[in-house]
Amino acid sequence: NRPRFSRLEPGSDLDLVVVSARLFDRLWDAVFDYSRTNLAFSKSREATRFRHMLFRGWVDPRGMPPGRRFDLSNDWLRFFDLLGRDRRFGNRRASARVYRDWLRLAAYQQIAVDQCKRAMRSQPG
């Protein structure tokens, strides 16, 4: 199991964050509208994963339902796929999460810091 935080090494992912209430709401509204008209989606594993993301405070456009209705997330995926293939960044997988505001980002990051603290306390020495 890889440590919670590790140094940037060849092959490491680029994990980026976008903080935008407008973008977050657009993505969330699109999925909300889609789920109201597509009962198969609303009961799917993808919908469960989306709810899990949402409850943790972010939206990942990679977790959006497939289809033409989600052109914004499709454009997003193309952009980050191109970014990941850019030699300036070492040809790595690039992804980003969209947080509605800085408080939600800080709250999620605090969870990770708390996990690291607990892991350090449980190690011998």
Side-chain angles (χ1 to χ4, degrees):
N1 213 2
R2 207 172 116 195
R4 185 75 172 137
F5 292 101
S6 57
R7 295 184 324 170
L8 183 65
E9 296 178 1
S12 296
D13 292 354
L14 291 174
D15 294 320
L16 306 168
V17 170
V18 174
V19 177
S20 169
R22 187 173 153 260
L23 179 57
F24 182 95
D25 289 347
R26 281 182 65 193
L27 293 167
W28 165 225
D29 287 345
V31 174
F32 177 75
D33 290 342
Y34 183 76
S35 69
R36 290 183 327 139
T37 59
N38 186 323
L39 294 178
F41 170 74
S42 66
K43 297 175 188 221
S44 69
R45 265 196 316 219
E46 290 81 13
T48 300
R49 275 185 264 162
F50 186 83
R51 284 189 294 271
H52 180 75
M53 284 188 293
L54 195 61
F55 290 160
R56 294 187 130 199
W58 74 80
V59 172
D60 180 350
R62 288 189 188 277
M64 300 287 285
R68 291 179 293 147
R69 292 184 62 167
F70 299 99
D71 287 338
L72 176 62
S73 63
N74 293 331
D75 291 344
W76 177 280
L77 297 179
R78 280 190 290 279
F79 173 78
F80 281 97
D81 288 345
L82 285 172
L83 184 65
R85 289 192 298 268
D86 191 312
R87 290 177 173 247
R88 292 176 293 175
F89 306 113
N91 197 23
R92 325 168 172 267
R93 182 180 183 274
S95 62
R97 292 176 176 166
V98 179
Y99 287 82
R100 192 167 199 291
D101 55 48
W102 290 99
L103 290 174
R104 292 180 192 191
L105 172 59
Y108 181 74
Q109 293 299 315
Q110 187 62 52
I111 292 167
V113 169
D114 292 343
Q115 289 172 348
C116 288
K117 287 178 180 179
R118 281 193 300 278
M120 289 178 66
R121 276 186 244 137
S122 68
Q123 290 184 2

